Amino acid sequence: MANSSVPTHVDANTTTTATDMLERRTVTLGTELFEAVRGHKRSLFDTQFYTAKLIDWAMADEEFRVALFRFVDVLPALADSAAVIRHAQEYFRPVAHRFPGMTRWGLDLAPDSLLAKAAAALVRHEVRSMAEQFILGETPEAALKPLRKIRKEGMAFTVDLLGEATIGEDESLRYEQRYLELITVLSREVPLWKESAPLIAGHVGEQSPLAISVKLSALYSQAKAVSQEKSSAVLEERLGHILSAATASGCYLTVDMEDTSKTDLTLATVRRLLDSREFRSYERAGFVFQAYLRRTESDIHSTLAWLRARRTPCTVRLVKGAYWDTETIAARLAGWPVPVWQIKEASDATYERISQLLLDNTSLVYPCFASHNLRSLSHAAAYAESIGVARTGYEMQALHGMAEPIKAVLVNRGYLVREYAPVGELLSGMGYLVRRLLENTSNSGFLRQGFHENETAANLMRRPQLPAQATEDAPAWKPRERFQNSPMTDFSQATHRAAVLRELEDLKSRVQSAPESIYPIIGGQEQTHLKASVPTVSPENQALILGYVANATAKECETALALLRAAFPVWRDTPVSQRAEVLFKAAELFEIRRAAFTALIVLESGKPWTEADADVAEAIDFCNYYALHAPHLFTAQALCELEGEEDYLLHEARGVCAVIAPWNFPAAIPCGMFAAALVTGNTAVLKPAEQTPLIGRAVFKLFLEAGLPGDCAAFLPGLGEVVGEALVNAPEVSTIVFTGSRTVGLHIIEKAARVHPGQEHVKRVICEMGGKNAIIVDSDADLDQAVKGVVQSVFGFAGQKCSACSRILVVGDAYPRFCERLADAVKSITVGPASDPATLVGPVIDAEAVTRLRDAVAVGKRSCRVLAEGEIGELQGGNFIAPIIFAEVPLEHELMKHELFGPVAAVAQVPDFASALRAANASEYALTGAIFSRSPENLRLGAREFRVGNLYLNRGSTGALVGRQPFGGAKLSGVGSKAGGPEYLAQFVIPRVICENTLRQGFAPMKR
């Protein structure tokens, strides 16, 4: 590869001169190219009239643009003509009056009519025509003719395979095999074409006519950031098979860059593979880098350093990036810094800086400049010219089906142009098509500005700058001023993975040396006179004793309640701002010790890493949310504006609160219930679940450290039938807050209704008891999205969430395909210790759960068809249950009726959406539910008729966030208390109204 010996910068004066000269040459060249393109006879989009018209309308009207893209996205899933017309009507009727040509799509027809069939055929034909513009063909063989046409037009190509959204390992392995078949077909046919002779003699990119592009994530369905080491090892092996075939045929292979969560994984995998003995000397493989990522310039520098050590160059494709909206929205939802530049000009400026960096290092890289922006391409060409890099040392790239005149003009100027050419099913490739349409119609895109809005060449060729406001970091953390959810830990960052791993190793080492002793805490003092003798063990390894518990007895309950009753008046009258400050400080301590809490939750409850981290985040959120809301509750509200009378609504604490906590959210739920009781002025007992006493103690001690007076709370570990029963029956207790099983919850409600001697109040029970939650998969659902959502909802934390899905109702013709993909996904699930970051399904909580679930699975196997069952393998010593899905389960079967609380679910087919709603509602529970559908009308109907406490549309049924999705259900799921919502704290207080007559001797103060 060539490399310039001409220095880029010598001194300040030289720098200014060189920069000015480069800018002038860039503008001159770009203007020449732009005018040549404008004079070109071919349409910029080079397609049939009506397809071009649809794109024109999309650029002219944002509402139509959204409707078109969403319709294009759903079309492949529509099985019949009636469905096509019905969806066209749902999407386009609101905008049809602005686009008379849309009547061709049957917007005024009855969906079941004969005319509708003809209209549906037209719709499919026109959308298929759009797909054919961007996609070469459905198979490698079908792509050969258009690939040869590309070569005849003087361009090279790189082939990409669509269908990369793999959910299970069968799909991933098929994807790998498809690439091997692609290389076989290309290497057999393409070298025989006369058009495969080098387009430009001596060009680095024309050493072979064969080139492919690969998306790494599709090669391993279980790849995830938190288990980067394992993911990278699997990907390296599978990519290695493809690279071996590419090497044997001399094919170029470029690994595409995807969303930013996979950037480190992609870089690590490809670098390690190219450093291996087999590929260390291969020059025709490389990476893609995205200029819109703020980190990319740093990644380029580290890649160049790696290449210097490797001593063999590689290819680098520089793109702007295709996932800007996704990256921006996902980061904002997660509360993370937005990883992409927020102003297009910043991406363009970064692109130019990196272009120079690549061209300065052509001894290490073969640069490929992929863009439809003539300014960006002209800058690269001008800079190469200025430092003496010949046109044979780099290439231009563009997408197949877009900007044909630009490509033609570049070819005529002697540049090597390569088309990025996708192959795959036309209608199933709609995700790719939508991305291309988004690029075509982007408000800030070069094609739109230059060739649709007729922007001047002078403006289009203006030098891009990197504005100071081009970045967007995570919102400043000010919990005392406004609520924002604590961001989940970004485990794509190695430092975060290392922190949790270190805490896990330290905790294991510590308890193996000396298990913890857990005592009741009363008045701030541990009750060490009791014997700590009850072991608490790790669900993933029952031989690992984490600690020994000294269970409280009725005597400790009496002592604690007497102390709490005595302390109540003082705590009740403590200013709410001081009580809230305890919660704010507790949240800060949780954040400081986040990795340690995560490790403890992993080992004691068996939660996988990401879910354990989410448990800690939710605890932080509860503290901050309730601390912010409590002052409003305790601010007197004036109820009357009439002179002569003053009326106020006040709230005050109820008394002593018993918090009876579950084991499945061992930090978040106890923390939330405990914090709510305390911030509203109640004194409280925290009784942890018997399975997770270490976590319960850690939560309690953290509150003491945050400033909670020791006489205002007590920690009472112990048996439910002893401690729990004593608290429920105690006359001192005014409020009981419980999360757990339906059996225990109903028992508490029954017992609490009785008034005991000395009791001065009616006990209030705040109770959440579980669910038998359903997910509806509509006939038009996005199955990539639906299967992922179902798998996470059913198997996250081994199904041990009250919000977990255990019933899946699939509408009509979607059933076979959904079941096929779900089966693949279930068989691919990684089952193992929660401490292994690769694990999705860890252990269930205890031996009792193992027995109960095995019995339920045995019943299912006797009467239903097993759709798929995961593998436990040789796991020993833990409470492991293989994830399992049953199919064709009758709606009245016990698998559809009873809460199982484990990684077990049932699937049934229903004829239509209305039947799905009836079946979903046919339950004693009403906690959570979800609907996957792309029908606007069905989503509206579901929102109205699917009567559960928390309903999720086009996402899974688990993962409620404080403030955003307050949580709680109805029927036998509980009293609908909505934890983490604006009404929750009102249950812990007594409302009081004070009325004062201010009229005296005919005179009253005037109200202003």
Side-chain angles (χ1 to χ4, degrees):
M1 292 188 179
N3 188 34
S4 170
S5 59
V6 180
T8 308
H9 306 300
V10 177
D11 56 34
N13 293 328
T14 305
T15 300
T16 302
T17 303
T19 300
D20 291 344
M21 291 176 62
L22 173 61
E23 183 60 20
R24 284 195 294 271
R25 178 56 184 150
T26 297
V27 171
T28 299
L29 178 58
T31 302
E32 290 174 3
L33 294 174
F34 183 67
E35 296 303 332
V37 170
R38 271 193 166 169
H40 210 277
K41 293 181 180 180
R42 298 173 72 181
S43 161
L44 193 73
F45 299 115
D46 192 34
T47 187
Q48 298 174 5
F49 168 79
Y50 199 69
T51 301
K53 199 70 178 172
L54 289 173
I55 294 176
D56 284 344
W57 290 345
M59 287 191 285
D61 188 289
E62 179 62 20
E63 193 176 356
F64 179 82
R65 181 171 178 256
V66 171
L68 176 63
F69 295 168
R70 289 187 171 176
F71 179 75
V72 165
D73 176 57
V74 72
L75 183 61
L78 304 181
D80 55 45
S81 299
V84 172
I85 298 305
R86 188 171 62 253
H87 280 75
Q89 291 171 353
E90 290 179 23
Y91 281 114
F92 293 111
R93 269 182 175 165
V95 297
H97 63 283
R98 299 198 291 273
F99 305 99
M102 290 305 299
T103 57
R104 293 155 36 98
W105 282 20
L107 303 189
D108 55 353
L109 299 175
D112 295 320
S113 67
L114 288 176
L115 287 176
K117 289 186 177 181
L122 175 67
V123 170
R124 288 190 185 276
H125 171 75
E126 289 180 345
V127 174
R128 186 180 178 90
S129 294
M130 292 171 65
E132 288 173 341
Q133 177 183 344
F134 301 101
I135 301 171
L136 289 182
E138 298 197 335
T139 65
E141 289 79 5
L144 289 172
K145 185 176 180 180
L147 285 174
R148 189 167 189 176
K149 183 173 181 289
I150 291 171
R151 297 289 303 186
K152 285 180 179 178
E153 292 177 348
M155 293 183 289
F157 59 74
T158 180
V159 182
D160 169 55
L161 288 181
L162 299 177
E164 64 270 16
T166 61
I167 292 169
E169 285 301 85
D170 286 350
E171 290 184 358
S172 291
L173 293 173
R174 280 198 298 272
Y175 186 80
E176 177 188 337
Q177 190 59 38
R178 286 173 61 207
Y179 260 105
L180 295 174
E181 292 170 0
L182 173 67
I183 293 171
T184 298
V185 171
L186 294 180
S187 61
R188 183 182 66 228
E189 300 291 337
V190 174
L192 302 179
W193 302 341
K194 64 180 181 180
E195 294 85 1
S196 293
L199 297 169
I200 298 174
H203 200 290
V204 177
E206 280 290 278
Q207 297 176 66
S208 169
L210 307 177
I212 62 171
S213 297
V214 181
K215 288 185 174 60
L216 262 194
S217 64
L219 294 175
Y220 182 38
S221 64
Q222 306 305 300
K224 49 187 180 180
V226 71
S227 60
Q228 180 167 302
E229 290 71 20
K230 178 180 178 181
S231 298
S232 183
V234 175
L235 289 170
E236 185 180 342
E237 178 185 4
R238 295 179 182 177
L239 180 62
H241 298 157
I242 299 172
L243 187 54
S244 289
T247 303
S249 61
C251 179
Y252 289 89
L253 184 150
T254 304
V255 176
D256 279 324
M257 198 65 74
E258 301 171 76
D259 64 87
T260 190
S261 68
K262 302 179 183 73
T263 301
D264 283 336
L265 176 60
T266 300
L267 290 173
T269 301
V270 178
R271 286 178 186 175
R272 191 156 56 240
L273 188 63
L274 294 183
D275 263 340
S276 67
R277 181 178 300 177
E278 182 178 0
F279 303 115
R280 191 174 184 86
S281 62
Y282 197 63
E283 297 186 13
R284 301 179 192 176
F287 314 80
V288 172
F289 287 96
Q290 300 160 314
Y292 71 2
L293 282 182
R294 293 157 58 179
R295 60 173 287 173
T296 295
E297 202 163 352
S298 173
D299 288 337
I300 291 284
H301 280 289
S302 68
T303 298
L304 292 173
W306 163 72
L307 285 168
R308 290 186 188 97
R310 182 181 181 234
R311 297 180 181 276
T312 303
C314 77
T315 63
V316 169
R317 178 191 301 147
L318 181 62
V319 302
K320 296 288 173 65
Y323 304 92
W324 187 92
D325 293 290
T326 301
E327 294 278 15
T328 299
I329 293 168
R332 287 173 180 167
L333 287 173
W336 294 344
V338 175
V340 293
W341 298 113
Q342 290 301 286
I343 298 175
K344 180 184 179 296
E345 190 176 7
S347 296
D348 292 342
T350 303
Y351 192 98
E352 293 191 3
R353 285 206 310 274
I354 295 175
S355 296
Q356 293 184 211
L357 185 59
L358 295 176
L359 288 165
D360 284 338
N361 288 278
T362 51
S363 63
L364 301 174
V365 298
Y366 168 53
C368 308
F369 301 106
S371 178
H372 299 143
N373 185 317
L374 283 174
R375 159 76 202 198
S376 299
L377 298 177
S378 299
H379 173 269
Y383 186 72
E385 185 181 297
S386 72
I387 63 172
V389 174
R391 294 181 184 179
T392 55
Y394 63 95
E395 68 181 50
M396 310 298 192
Q397 295 190 358
L399 294 167
H400 177 71
M402 288 178 63
E404 303 305 311
I406 291 177
K407 289 181 269 192
V409 167
L410 289 171
V411 168
N412 290 337
R413 288 286 187 119
Y415 297 101
L416 179 64
V417 177
R418 188 180 304 276
E419 282 199 343
Y420 186 90
V423 172
E425 294 182 20
L426 292 176
L427 291 184
S428 297
M430 287 299 168
Y432 176 85
L433 174 56
V434 167
R435 289 201 298 275
R436 300 294 76 84
L437 292 173
L438 285 168
E439 292 173 12
N440 269 342
T441 59
S442 167
N443 287 329
S444 58
F446 186 92
L447 294 183
R448 175 170 180 158
Q449 291 184 343
F451 303 101
H452 182 80
E453 298 177 353
N454 297 314
E455 186 63 79
T456 65
N459 283 337
L460 290 170
M461 294 303 144
R462 191 173 52 212
R463 183 181 182 184
Q465 302 295 327
L466 183 57
Q469 69 273 24
T471 64
E472 182 179 319
D473 292 325
W477 189 254
K478 297 179 180 179
R480 288 169 174 78
E481 297 178 15
R482 66 182 181 88
F483 177 74
Q484 63 190 80
N485 295 105
S486 174
M488 307 301 176
T489 298
D490 181 2
F491 283 116
S492 69
Q493 297 185 29
T495 54
H496 292 160
R497 298 195 302 274
V500 173
L501 184 60
R502 184 169 56 250
E503 292 290 350
L504 279 169
E505 291 172 347
D506 288 348
L507 178 57
K508 285 181 183 179
S509 175
R510 193 166 64 248
V511 299
Q512 285 170 344
S513 174
E516 299 277 346
S517 294
I518 302 100
Y519 297 99
I521 302 174
I522 301 172
Q525 301 299 314
E526 291 189 337
Q527 305 300 296
T528 55
H529 63 278
L530 297 172
K531 184 177 181 181
S533 60
V534 179
T536 177
V537 300
S538 175
E540 70 176 40
N541 178 9
Q542 295 187 58
L544 180 60
I545 298 175
L546 302 173
Y548 290 95
V549 183
N551 281 339
T553 67
K555 181 179 179 181
E556 281 72 46
C557 292
E558 291 174 8
T559 303
L561 291 173
L563 184 65
L564 295 177
R565 185 175 184 179
F568 168 65
V570 175
W571 184 244
R572 176 196 61 200
D573 296 337
T574 298
V576 65
S577 60
Q578 293 181 29
R579 301 197 302 258
E581 186 60 24
V582 172
L583 271 62
F584 283 131
K585 288 183 177 178
E588 292 171 357
L589 291 172
F590 271 119
E591 190 64 60
I592 291 168
R593 298 167 192 168
R594 186 160 182 162
F597 263 99
T598 298
L600 180 57
I601 293 168
V602 166
L603 282 188
E604 191 176 34
S605 74
K607 268 195 176 182
W609 282 36
T610 53
E611 304 223 32
D613 173 74
D615 204 315
V616 185
E618 189 173 10
I620 294 168
D621 286 349
F622 277 133
C623 289
N624 286 327
Y625 187 85
Y626 294 150
L628 273 175
H629 278 74
H632 300 290
L633 184 65
F634 287 92
T635 301
Q637 300 176 42
L639 302 176
C640 177
E641 295 182 357
L642 298 173
E643 287 82 8
E645 183 174 300
E646 292 187 353
D647 300 295
Y648 294 97
L649 174 66
L650 306 171
H651 294 94
E652 67 178 31
R654 291 178 54 81
V656 179
C657 181
V659 175
I660 302 175
W663 51 262
N664 63 332
F665 284 83
I669 293 181
C671 176
M673 298 190 296
F674 192 54
L678 294 170
V679 79
T680 48
N682 301 279
T683 54
V685 172
L686 175 58
K687 184 216 169 291
E690 294 162 36
Q691 298 89 339
T692 53
L694 265 74
I695 302 167
R697 184 188 65 170
V699 170
F700 186 85
K701 283 192 167 184
L702 182 140
F703 272 84
L704 294 180
E705 188 177 345
L708 176 66
D711 59 352
C712 291
F715 175 69
L716 297 179
L719 300 175
E721 54 267 33
V722 176
V723 176
E725 197 77 6
L727 295 174
V728 169
N729 292 325
E732 297 92 341
V733 172
S734 64
T735 307
I736 303 163
V737 55
F738 167 81
T739 298
S741 72
R742 166 180 160 180
T743 301
V744 175
L746 293 178
H747 173 76
I748 289 173
I749 291 170
E750 179 184 359
K751 289 284 188 178
R754 300 176 186 175
V755 178
H756 297 270
Q759 185 173 325
E760 299 175 345
H761 46 253
V762 176
K763 293 184 181 181
R764 174 171 290 170
V765 179
I766 306 166
C767 193
E768 194 270 288
M769 296 181 290
K772 186 66 180 173
N773 309 300
I775 290 180
I776 295 173
V777 180
D778 202 356
S779 58
D780 66 353
D782 181 334
L783 294 189
D784 292 340
Q785 190 180 61
V787 173
K788 288 179 182 178
V790 166
V791 167
Q792 186 57 45
S793 299
V794 173
F795 299 114
F797 189 33
Q800 299 175 114
K801 302 179 185 179
C802 51
S803 58
C805 168
S806 59
R807 298 183 292 149
I808 305 111
L809 306 166
V810 187
V811 177
D813 295 334
Y815 186 79
R817 180 62 177 145
F818 173 81
C819 286
E820 177 188 354
R821 300 196 71 192
L822 179 62
D824 185 17
V826 172
K827 289 184 291 186
S828 305
I829 285 173
T830 303
V831 183
S835 56
D836 181 349
T839 292
L840 174 63
V841 173
V844 294
I845 191 64
D846 55 24
E848 180 182 340
V850 171
T851 300
R852 172 174 49 79
L853 290 165
R854 283 179 178 167
D855 289 346
V857 168
V859 169
K861 287 184 174 180
R862 285 196 298 268
S863 55
C864 301
R865 179 172 76 88
V866 174
L867 176 65
E869 187 171 10
E871 294 288 338
I872 293 182
E874 299 180 357
L875 293 170
Q876 301 290 330
N879 305 319
F880 294 102
I881 290 287
I884 189 168
I885 295 277
F886 293 96
E888 288 92 57
V889 180
L891 296 178
E892 66 277 4
H893 194 281
E894 60 183 277
L895 288 173
M896 285 284 187
K897 297 292 184 182
H898 304 312
E899 185 179 31
L900 298 175
F901 226 65
V904 182
V907 186
Q909 184 178 24
V910 291
D912 50 47
F913 191 75
S915 300
L917 284 174
R918 285 194 297 273
N921 285 325
S923 173
E924 297 173 323
Y925 298 95
L927 185 54
T928 71
I931 299 171
F932 287 92
S933 176
R934 288 180 283 190
S935 163
E937 182 56 37
N938 282 352
L939 290 173
R940 284 192 290 268
L941 179 63
R944 186 173 69 244
E945 300 293 338
F946 195 166
R947 290 185 166 86
V948 290
N950 286 62
L951 178 64
Y952 302 97
L953 306 180
N954 287 317
R955 54 152 284 185
S957 65
T958 62
L961 292 174
V962 173
R964 281 155 64 173
Q965 300 106 28
F967 188 78
K971 293 186 178 179
L972 292 178
S973 288
V975 297
S977 54
K978 290 299 179 193
E983 301 171 346
Y984 187 71
L985 294 183
Q987 300 168 108
F988 293 83
V989 297
I990 299 169
R992 297 176 58 207
V993 170
I994 298 175
C995 171
E996 180 182 356
N997 172 22
T998 61
L999 182 64
R1000 295 185 185 180
Q1001 302 300 325
F1003 169 80
M1006 296 293 292
K1007 294 191 175 183
R1008 297 182 183 275

